[in-house]
Structures are given as C-alpha cells and as structure tokens.
Amino acid sequence: MIYTCTLNPAIDLFVETDDLLPSKVNRTQSEDYQANGKGVNVSIILKKLGISSTALGFKAGFTGAYIQDELHAMGIDTDFVEIDGVTRVNIFVHTGEQEYKIVNRGPKVDSHAYNEMIEKINSLPDESTLFVSGSAPRGVDESIYKEIAKIAFDKQIDLILDISSEVLMDCLQYNPFLIKPNKEELAHFYGKEDLTEDDIIYYGHDLLDKGAKHVLISLGEDGAIYIDKDHLLKVSSPEGKVINTACAGDTMLAMFYQKMQAGFSVEDSMIYASAAGSSTAFSKGLSDLEDISELIKQINTINLKGGKTNE
C-alpha cells in the first residue's frame, strides 16, 4: 500500500501573459487550474505510471473539494481531513522568459484536525510506503514531521520525505527510507550560503550517517545526485525551454521510486527520474510523460566513485 500526505495542498493556477505590469490590467493568453501540492503531485504521477496510491491531507472549502474531485476523476483514492476555511490557490505567471510564483499560506488547522491526521497515519498498515511532501499549514508545528517519522519507524513504514523544514534533520534518527532535498535546502540544513559539488557529496553522506537510507539531491538544470551505502551517482538534465519549475522535483521523485520498485538499476532509475522532472519543467503543470523516451537520450550518468557510466 502506498500513501501520500500533503499537509497544505493547493490548486495551482498557471497563466501566460505578454507582460506583468504594475497598475495595469494584465490579460492572460492562457490559464490552467490543477489539483496540486507536492504529495498530490506524487500521487498523480504514480497513477500515470500505473501505481495506485491514497492521498492524505487537509482540505477546506470549495477549493479542497475541487482537489478531491479531480483526484477521484483520475482514479486516485483520497482520505482527507476536512477543516474550516478555503484550500489555497497558488499562481504561477509565465511572461516572456520570466516566471513569477505567488504561493499563499492556506487555511489554519485546529488541534482536533491535527489529531485526526495523526490518527490516520497511525492507522496505516505496517510495512506500507508513505510519501510526506511539502510545507506545514498554519496551526501545525513542523514537529509533526518528527512525529510522523517516529510512527513510520515503529510501524516499519517506508517513509519518503521531501520537506524543506530543518526538522528533517531530527527525523533522520528514525531511518527514513528516502529523502529528497534540493541543493538550496541542503545548504540551509547545514547553515551554508552555497554548496560546491564536493560539499553536496559530503553533506549527502552525512545525511546517510545520521540515519537516512537513500538520499536524492535535485540540482535543477544541473541534474541530480543520488547517494546510498553502495552508490554515488550524478545524472545530467536534458536541454529544453523551462516553463514551470514548481512540480519538477515531485515528478522526479515519483518516477525514481516507480523505476526502483520495478527493478530498474539505480543508473536507469536516475535517468528516467531526470527526464521526468525535466518534462514537467518544460510543461504547464505536471507532465503527461509522453516525451520521456526522447529526453532520456540526452541524459548522461556519472559514477562519482569511478567515472562516466553512459554517454
């Protein structure tokens, strides 16, 4: 059984306009509304890859109902906790070569809803898989991630964490199955302004030493680095016009997990993951994955322990 948990889901509104000018009516050429949130994205991509999951999270008002209805229309099960207010709408404006991201706070979660969410996670089957992705909503202390990590540890759940909170470091004692920081988040966790590739490798291994079983570090247009006790691998990114960076990491994570579970090698799983993440970056919203076979032809992997593995 696979579950995703998005504590602060959203509707993402993607719009295109020629200009974005102050004190003017900026009319759009196109707009697209999509059910979103990092864990929601993982559920959607997994479904496109033929893997079923149940999406957990908080939902509020007509926008929360829209997200649930959209997931059901895709054949994705949900088990949301209903709260007061309105689930947030985030806006991504693409104009010329610029992308503007407007991310709202979302509704506040009360203690009753918080406890209901913890109960749901406590009731997940032993030895299942749980993706926890994204930010904590108002009213929810970031310590919830540590609480979830302990539950997963006790129930032998494979926990996959994609969060920007420093609480990630406190979760490592509970041996999460996989964590996916990006380069900026990794620098933040260790109090650094920027990281070289050697820094990324050093701190990636430190995450393993502190308890993570697998570490996938996304590097944006520079690809990604994967580290476990047996592998140290870098993958490049294909070239293309970047339209939307908001959901690329979620697509990468879902594809990597699916390929690994299907028995692909780490190298091939990373190639597919890089192609999938880039495909979303080149799309409005989540990719339809139809261009993956072409994108993987552009991608190289480098075994950082011993040279290039493919060209």
Side-chain angles (χ1 to χ4, degrees), residues 30 146 191 264:
S30 67
K146 184 177 178 181
F264 283 59

Side-chain angles (χ1 to χ4, degrees), residues 20 29 35-36 81 108 137 151 153 175 181 246 274 289 292 297-298 301:
L20 188 61
Q29 280 75 55
N36 214 288
V81 174
K108 186 175 182 179
I151 293 171
F153 179 81
N175 306 128
S274 179
L289 305 180
I292 297 300
K297 297 175 183 177
Q298 301 182 43
T301 56

Side-chain angles (χ1 to χ4, degrees), residues 228-245:
D228 65 22
K229 64 183 179 64
D230 299 315
H231 299 87
L232 175 55
L233 186 73
K234 182 178 181 181
V235 65
S236 65
S237 289
E239 293 185 359
K241 182 181 179 181
V242 175
I243 297 174
N244 156 49
T245 60

Side-chain angles (χ1 to χ4, degrees), residues 132 159-163 168-169 171-172 175-182 185-186 189-190 203-204 206-208 210-218 225-227 253 256:
V132 177
L159 178 64
I160 299 172
L161 284 172
D162 183 9
I163 60 175
L168 174 73
M169 303 300 288
C171 297
L172 298 179
N175 306 128
F177 178 76
L178 172 65
I179 59 174
K180 196 202 74 63
N182 61 35
E185 290 166 345
L186 186 63
F189 296 154
Y190 287 93
Y203 291 122
D206 188 62
L207 294 173
L208 288 181
K210 285 181 165 59
K213 296 179 181 178
H214 307 270
V215 179
L216 177 59
I217 304 165
S218 54
I225 290 176
Y226 171 80
I227 308 173
L253 179 60
F256 179 77

Side-chain angles (χ1 to χ4, degrees), residues 17 23 51 149 208 251 255 294:
T17 182
S23 305
I51 295 182
L208 288 181
T251 309
M255 178 66 84
E294 290 301 315

Side-chain angles (χ1 to χ4, degrees), residues 3-307:
Y3 300 85
T4 66
C5 181
T6 311
L7 298 175
N8 201 12
I11 294 173
D12 278 3
L13 168 59
F14 298 92
V15 299
E16 289 190 17
T17 182
D18 289 335
D19 296 295
L20 188 61
L21 302 174
S23 305
K24 301 289 184 180
V25 175
N26 295 282
R27 299 193 183 277
T28 63
Q29 280 75 55
S30 67
E31 62 278 332
D32 186 26
Y33 298 85
Q34 296 189 12
N36 214 288
K38 294 179 71 63
V40 168
N41 293 336
V42 170
S43 278
I44 293 172
I45 293 296
L46 287 176
K47 187 65 177 181
K48 291 180 179 183
L49 294 170
I51 295 182
S52 296
S53 65
T54 298
L56 310 177
F58 297 107
K59 74 178 183 75
F62 72 100
T63 48
Y66 173 85
I67 292 172
Q68 179 170 271
D69 291 345
E70 286 292 291
L71 292 177
H72 288 174
M74 297 176 201
I76 298 170
D77 292 334
T78 63
D79 191 11
F80 289 117
V81 174
E82 183 78 37
I83 61 175
D84 293 333
V86 177
T87 293
R88 61 190 178 146
V89 178
N90 297 328
I91 306 170
F92 300 88
V93 182
H94 190 262
T95 171
E97 297 301 317
Q98 300 296 321
E99 182 186 21
Y100 299 87
K101 305 177 184 182
I102 303 170
V103 177
N104 293 304
R105 295 185 304 167
K108 186 175 182 179
V109 176
D110 63 23
S111 59
H112 176 77
Y114 180 104
N115 291 333
E116 186 176 348
M117 176 59 69
I118 293 299
E119 289 174 8
K120 284 185 183 294
I121 293 171
N122 236 328
S123 67
L124 297 183
D126 291 0
E127 301 181 358
S128 54
T129 297
L130 173 63
F131 291 79
V132 177
S133 306
S135 61
R138 289 187 296 150
V140 175
D141 189 86
E142 290 183 338
S143 61
I144 191 173
Y145 299 122
K146 184 177 178 181
E147 191 170 358
I148 292 171
K150 185 178 185 307
I151 293 171
F153 179 81
D154 291 341
K155 296 176 68 66
Q156 297 183 302
I157 290 172
D158 282 343
L159 178 64
I160 299 172
L161 284 172
D162 183 9
I163 60 175
S164 58
S165 169
E166 292 180 1
V167 174
L168 174 73
M169 303 300 288
D170 296 326
C171 297
L172 298 179
Q173 63 185 299
Y174 298 112
N175 306 128
F177 178 76
L178 172 65
I179 59 174
K180 196 202 74 63
N182 61 35
K183 179 180 176 180
E184 292 74 22
E185 290 166 345
L186 186 63
H188 177 66
F189 296 154
Y190 287 93
K192 305 297 182 181
E193 290 295 322
D194 194 17
L195 299 177
T196 65
E197 185 172 292
D198 286 343
D199 292 333
I200 292 168
I201 293 169
Y202 176 82
Y203 291 122
H205 277 112
D206 188 62
L207 294 173
L208 288 181
D209 292 341
K210 285 181 165 59
K213 296 179 181 178
H214 307 270
V215 179
L216 177 59
I217 304 165
S218 54
L219 308 176
E221 63 182 11
D222 293 325
I225 290 176
Y226 171 80
I227 308 173
D228 65 22
K229 64 183 179 64
D230 299 315
H231 299 87
L232 175 55
L233 186 73
K234 182 178 181 181
V235 65
S236 65
S237 289
E239 293 185 359
K241 182 181 179 181
V242 175
I243 297 174
N244 156 49
T245 60
C247 313
D250 309 326
T251 309
M252 170 184 277
L253 179 60
M255 178 66 84
F256 179 77
Y257 176 81
Q258 186 269 335
K259 291 304 178 188
M260 289 291 286
Q261 292 301 304
F264 283 59
S265 68
V266 170
E267 291 83 357
D268 287 342
S269 298
M270 285 289 288
I271 290 171
Y272 273 93
S274 179
S278 297
S279 180
T280 282
F282 303 157
S283 308
K284 295 178 185 177
L286 289 173
S287 166
D288 59 15
L289 305 180
E290 292 182 359
D291 57 352
I292 297 300
S293 60
E294 290 301 315
L295 291 175
I296 62 176
K297 297 175 183 177
Q298 301 182 43
I299 299 172
N300 296 325
T301 56
I302 300 174
N303 182 345
L304 297 176
K305 287 184 175 180

